[in-house]
Amino acid sequence: MSDYLMKNYAPLPVTFTKGEGATLWDTEGKPYLDVLSGVAVCSLGHAHPDVAMAIAKQAKQLIHTSNWYHIANQEELAAELCQLSGMDNVFFSNSGAEANEAAIKLARLYGHKKNINEPAIIVMDGSFHGRTLATLSATGNRKVHAGFEPLVQGFVRAPYNDLEAIENIAKNNQNVVAVLVEPIIGEGGVTIPDTDYLGGIRKLCDDNGWLMMLDEIQTGMCRTGEWFAFQHTDITPDVMTLAKALGNGVPIGACLAKGDAAELFTPGNHGSTYGGNPLVCAAALAVVNTMKAQSLAARSKALGATMLAQLKNEFADNAAIVDIRGKGLMLAIELDRPCGDLMQQALEQGLLLNVAAEKVVRLLPPLIISDDQATEIIQKVTTLIKNFIK
Ligand SMILES: *Cc1c(COP(=O)(O)O)cnc(C)c1O
């Protein structure tokens, strides 16, 4: 424990020195199976040779120039992401929160263009959108707000998975310009909405002239079995944000826009010094190319379905298990009691997993895990949880 670090984290007592694929090693040489992927970041696993090579090669050639000049691989990455998503254009940031900041600023520009002087964005209870002032204000979790008031204004809250609540806001609030929503809630406990939810929001946005803005920072980049989670439906958003797995650990975020939303930023009204520099774009391009070459969306879908079925089978009729759910390789086991202690217990067993929303064991393995590693994860996780609830 360092006295020289601020106390905003409470790290578990372990330090990793090396990684390969889904395995990490600590300072004692003990191996761990990684079922967290640095919180859905290292979807290609650790030390992926293509990503490492792309970073090394780019670093030797050119790391940074600023957005005062054209950046060839930034343009290439933007084109790839638009092709994969059906969006029109991209702004690159350095993190998820900053990608959402860009989305929030787009919504406000959109409102002002329509002569709405105090534009408001509908956000959901239980959501997580980041830790900057605007994104923590958008977040639907009091713990994230606490102590940082006054919150940024211009957010209207609705319960998640409740279309009627959004309809009611539409009737009563003329300032709404956009809806910002996670297709599946991540940090808030892997909440999967009804199948008609995103379609319903799309329709409400169309009827009211609002932007539909999807936070795909956790669900994007093949995590849920499609490149982007909205692709499980037949809708397209107006704005989508990405980060996490986009760089496999290199800090990059993206805000993608379509139609009217794609025309709102003009020279000078938004920017970032590092955003989309040659180094991070080289890494992200390697990520995209590898995910394509290995068909990781399909792999995530198939393996996730298998693992979900195995978990359901292991815990059938277990009273301490409230729910088992997931999409692709975003899996969750909800217990009837707080289970944060499982993180330390898993660590002792050589397993890295995460507990979200106090009672939800969240599994986010790298998408490149083998069938054998998937089996090992199921065995270790079920043993761990069965011992915990016994
Ligand atoms: C992680 C996350 C963020 C914040 O991303 P940072 O890179 O930590 O700023 C925002 N939204 C969702 C859904 C996330 O999972």
Side-chain angles (χ1 to χ4, degrees):
M1 264 298 244
S2 168
D3 287 337
Y4 296 102
L5 290 172
M6 292 195 185
K7 303 282 186 269
N8 56 315
Y9 304 113
L12 292 166
V14 65
T15 304
F16 300 111
T17 53
K18 190 174 87 149
E20 192 184 318
T23 308
L24 282 168
W25 286 268
D26 70 10
T27 42
E28 313 295 309
K30 177 181 166 184
Y32 298 79
L33 186 54
D34 187 359
V35 194
L36 179 60
S37 310
V39 198
V41 168
C42 302
S43 282
L44 300 182
H46 301 280
H48 190 282
D50 294 352
V51 179
M53 187 60 83
I55 294 170
K57 200 172 152 220
Q58 189 62 50
K60 286 185 187 173
Q61 198 177 320
L62 186 65
I63 291 180
H64 180 84
T65 56
S66 95
N67 286 298
W68 286 107
Y69 310 102
H70 286 279
I71 299 173
N73 66 0
Q74 184 189 96
E75 292 171 8
E76 195 186 336
L77 176 62
E80 286 282 356
L81 292 175
C82 287
Q83 246 160 42
L84 289 166
S85 63
M87 305 298 281
D88 290 341
N89 57 21
V90 187
F91 164 80
F92 287 107
S93 65
N94 313 290
S95 67
E98 287 170 279
N100 283 338
E101 287 276 344
I104 292 164
K105 287 178 75 172
L106 280 181
R108 287 190 168 193
L109 284 175
Y110 178 74
H112 285 288
K113 232 181 152 175
K114 297 205 295 181
N115 292 318
I116 296 175
N117 295 324
E118 294 191 14
I121 301 169
I122 299 179
V123 292
M124 307 308 159
D125 295 341
S127 64
F128 181 78
H129 298 297
R131 301 283 192 168
T132 61
L133 274 174
T135 59
L136 81 81
S137 301
T139 291
N141 179 346
R142 276 295 306 149
K143 278 191 196 156
V144 174
H145 301 160
F148 300 112
E149 300 85 354
L151 299 184
V152 171
Q153 295 185 355
F155 297 105
V156 183
R157 297 180 200 284
Y160 193 65
N161 197 24
D162 186 342
L163 290 171
E164 221 179 283
I166 301 176
E167 262 172 67
N168 284 331
I169 294 170
K171 281 181 209 144
N172 300 314
N173 191 327
Q174 303 309 311
N175 285 333
V176 174
V177 294
V179 177
L180 173 63
V181 61
E182 291 164 88
I184 296 174
I185 284 186
E187 298 308 300
V190 190
T191 311
I192 304 174
D194 296 340
T195 46
D196 67 349
Y197 185 55
L198 292 186
I201 292 180
R202 178 71 270 177
K203 184 165 188 313
L204 283 166
C205 286
D206 290 341
D207 291 351
N208 291 285
W210 302 338
L211 298 179
M212 177 172 183
M213 310 202 297
L214 288 181
D215 180 342
E216 293 244 20
I217 289 166
Q218 189 158 149
T219 53
M221 304 305 291
C222 302
R223 174 54 58 187
T224 73
E226 295 284 351
W227 272 92
F228 310 103
F230 77 79
Q231 291 169 334
H232 292 286
T233 73
D234 55 12
I235 62 115
T236 310
D238 301 299
V239 176
M240 170 175 72
T241 53
L242 299 174
K244 295 212 161 95
L246 178 56
N248 209 58
V250 169
I252 179 170
C255 175
L256 291 83
K258 188 178 170 70
D260 289 349
E263 310 297 326
L264 293 164
F265 282 153
T266 52
N269 68 2
H270 192 53
S272 162
T273 300
Y274 294 138
N277 83 12
L279 185 75
V280 296
C281 289
L285 270 172
V287 169
V288 170
N289 289 332
T290 305
M291 286 183 168
K292 268 190 187 171
Q294 299 189 7
S295 306
L296 287 184
R299 171 68 175 162
S300 169
K301 185 180 270 181
L303 188 58
T306 305
M307 290 175 75
L308 184 64
Q310 287 168 338
L311 287 170
K312 284 186 172 169
N313 190 37
E314 287 284 350
F315 291 108
D317 301 323
N318 193 318
I321 305 296
V322 174
D323 190 29
I324 297 172
R325 55 184 177 264
K327 232 178 178 121
L329 285 170
M330 186 174 189
L331 298 160
I333 305 142
E334 182 171 348
L335 273 58
D336 65 350
R337 65 198 78 174
C339 58
D341 291 348
L342 274 174
M343 289 180 66
Q344 170 68 34
Q345 291 174 18
L347 197 66
E348 287 157 19
Q349 304 299 318
L351 195 69
L352 305 179
L353 55 73
N354 178 254
V355 172
E358 287 171 12
K359 296 177 181 175
V360 181
V361 179
R362 180 169 53 156
L363 310 182
L364 297 164
L367 308 181
I368 46 82
I369 53 171
S370 65
D371 290 345
D372 286 349
Q373 283 172 323
T375 306
E376 189 183 341
I377 290 170
I378 297 292
Q379 279 167 355
K380 285 193 161 168
V381 168
T382 46
T383 306
L384 193 75
I385 295 178
K386 281 179 181 172
N387 282 329
F388 183 80
I389 58 184
K390 162 163 92 186

